[in-house]
Amino acid sequence: MAKSAEEENQQKAFGWAATDNSGILSPFNFSRRENGDDDVTLKILYCGVCHSDLHTLRNDWGFSFYPVVPGHEISGVVTKVGKNVTKFNIGDRVGVGVLVGSCKTCECCEQDLESYCPCIIFTYNSYNPDGTKNYGGYSDMIVVDQRYVLRFPDNLPLDAGAPLLCAGITVYSPMKYYGMTEAGKHLGVAGLGGLGHVAVKIGKAFGLKVTAISSSPQKESEAINRLGADSFLVSNNPEKMKSAIGTMDYIIDTVSAVHPLLPLLSLLKVNGKLVTVGLPNKPLELPVFPLVMGRKLIGGSDVGGMKETQEMLDFCAKHNITADIELIRIEEINTAMERLAKSDVRYRFVIDVANSLSQ
């Protein structure tokens, strides 16, 4: 039987998907589009496991579209390029992060802020303008418009570098935008997980004094000796928190669970800035009084645009910053998700896609 025109423009792909909000992943055959004139096809070698993957698999945010193939911390090598592609060649080491499309014409896109485009197309759990569905990096290959593909510097490893495509840019972007990069200033990093541990490293690279803020006292030694933090603050120790009141210029709040903001705001100096990048599934309570009385600012930030994400990768390569990872095989992913839900990972799972994904 002859193939339809639509089938002619598709190619087979294979990954692991969840089909309902149990979040359980299993082998899944699907299709990707054929490489277009502006496209880059890459063989996926590694994919980081983000907390957003877990939220989406379990429909915690209420907008999951099953089946879901997660993964937006993708690294690999280019296997095909379209005739209009000028930025990449076959064999290049590349990455794909949180987004794979935008309108390219709005004010945000023109300012290299594609991540804030109202027509943003996410790497997974989203749809293209033609109605086809996007699947993420827990799979063997992906086809992406060249604008949304990133070059990996030669000295940045593809496995430990993959989480930078979400975790790295999620903390780098607000530090740049909110002016939280002045050497000698004091940065607090709330939450010492996948985002937080990278924020500590990037903060130190900017020349900041960094305090890790965590509810887990057992993380103190590794925060200081392994990640390079200058000090450690136990967030559920009232005496320790009291002693740190008014000592910090900036705080990046990476906590993705519901938590009070008042204790963090109290740590800030006058004119201090608290920027939240975690995404709890319920609203947080915002106390206005300390903002007014301390002329403090609270803001939010998403991942950066493509230009800034490339800048972040180059910065991390220059300063030898990578994520601390636990490399797993794809068949271990469901156990990894259970551990991630319990914060039992130091500090990012990365799937060894090329060496473990097979039909």
Side-chain angles (χ1 to χ4, degrees):
M1 181 183 292
K3 292 184 178 180
S4 67
E6 181 178 355
E7 289 175 327
E8 288 286 355
N9 293 321
Q10 300 287 313
Q11 54 185 318
K12 293 180 179 180
F14 178 69
W16 279 47
T19 57
D20 57 44
N21 64 5
S22 70
I24 300 299
L25 292 144
S26 59
F28 178 65
N29 290 287
F30 62 102
S31 297
R32 302 268 195 202
R33 71 174 183 267
E34 283 290 351
N35 200 86
D37 291 344
D38 297 308
D39 287 338
V40 173
T41 296
L42 59 143
K43 177 183 179 181
I44 297 173
L45 300 183
Y46 301 100
C47 186
V49 179
C50 179
H51 214 284
S52 297
D53 298 347
L54 179 63
H55 283 306
T56 305
L57 288 172
R58 298 182 176 181
N59 199 24
D60 289 339
W61 294 325
F63 48 78
S64 298
F65 308 106
Y66 299 100
V68 172
V69 177
H72 57 206
E73 298 177 347
I74 302 165
S75 64
V77 294
V78 175
T79 58
K80 191 180 297 185
V81 295
K83 67 179 183 180
N84 296 335
V85 173
T86 58
K87 297 168 59 179
F88 302 100
N89 297 302
I90 292 173
D92 284 352
R93 304 164 75 251
V94 295
V96 176
V98 174
L99 64 153
V100 293
S102 63
C103 76
K104 302 181 181 179
T105 60
C106 70
E107 184 177 5
C108 287
C109 288
E110 290 179 349
Q111 295 178 359
D112 298 310
L113 296 171
E114 298 96 337
S115 52
Y116 298 100
C117 173
C119 300
I120 186 172
I121 302 172
F122 293 106
T123 304
Y124 70 89
N125 195 48
S126 67
Y127 290 89
N128 294 301
D130 64 2
T132 57
K133 189 174 182 180
N134 283 324
Y135 298 105
Y138 296 14
S139 57
D140 56 358
M141 54 83 71
I142 192 169
V143 182
V144 183
D145 184 307
Q146 65 172 331
R147 176 167 177 159
Y148 309 96
V149 179
L150 296 143
R151 183 178 301 281
F152 256 67
D154 291 340
N155 67 320
L156 192 63
L158 290 173
D159 52 0
L164 298 176
L165 295 163
C166 176
I169 189 58
T170 297
V171 296
Y172 181 89
S173 185
M175 292 177 74
K176 294 285 286 188
Y177 176 74
Y178 287 100
M180 302 163 67
T181 60
E182 186 179 344
K185 295 289 189 178
H186 190 177
L187 170 70
V189 177
L192 204 57
L195 274 64
H197 90 285
V198 176
V200 170
K201 296 182 181 185
I202 291 178
K204 290 302 297 179
F206 279 126
L208 300 169
K209 175 185 177 182
V210 178
T211 295
I213 307 167
S214 173
S215 60
S216 305
Q218 67 272 19
K219 291 184 178 180
E220 179 172 2
S221 176
E222 58 195 71
I224 294 173
N225 299 322
R226 178 173 165 182
L227 303 178
D230 296 286
S231 57
F232 186 87
L233 185 60
V234 181
S235 59
N236 52 13
N237 184 320
E239 185 177 330
K240 296 289 186 182
M241 290 290 285
K242 185 177 180 180
S243 69
I245 287 175
T247 62
M248 299 180 190
D249 299 286
Y250 327 120
I251 296 175
I252 287 188
D253 183 2
T254 71
V255 179
S256 59
V258 175
H259 61 288
L261 294 176
L262 181 59
L264 295 178
L265 287 170
S266 71
L267 300 176
L268 291 172
K269 300 176 182 178
V270 171
N271 299 325
K273 302 173 184 178
L274 169 64
V275 180
T276 62
V277 295
L279 291 170
N281 59 3
K282 294 181 181 179
L284 303 183
E285 182 177 327
L286 177 60
V288 174
F289 204 84
L291 296 181
V292 173
M293 300 306 293
R295 200 163 68 175
K296 298 174 183 178
L297 178 150
I298 185 166
S301 181
D302 198 0
V303 296
M306 304 314 301
K307 181 179 179 180
E308 188 175 50
T309 304
Q310 186 65 61
E311 175 188 304
M312 177 276 305
L313 288 176
D314 295 339
F315 177 89
C316 288
K318 178 181 178 181
H319 294 279
N320 296 311
I321 296 171
T322 59
D324 287 23
I325 67 168
E326 183 175 334
L327 199 62
I328 62 169
R329 295 178 60 83
I330 189 69
E331 61 266 25
E332 300 173 296
I333 187 60
N334 289 309
T335 300
M337 286 296 178
E338 292 296 333
R339 288 179 53 194
L340 179 59
K342 301 173 185 175
S343 300
D344 177 25
V345 55
R346 296 291 187 276
Y347 280 91
R348 201 66 148 189
F349 288 117
V350 172
I351 305 168
D352 187 356
V353 175
N355 290 317
S356 65
L357 185 64
S358 59
Q359 300 191 48

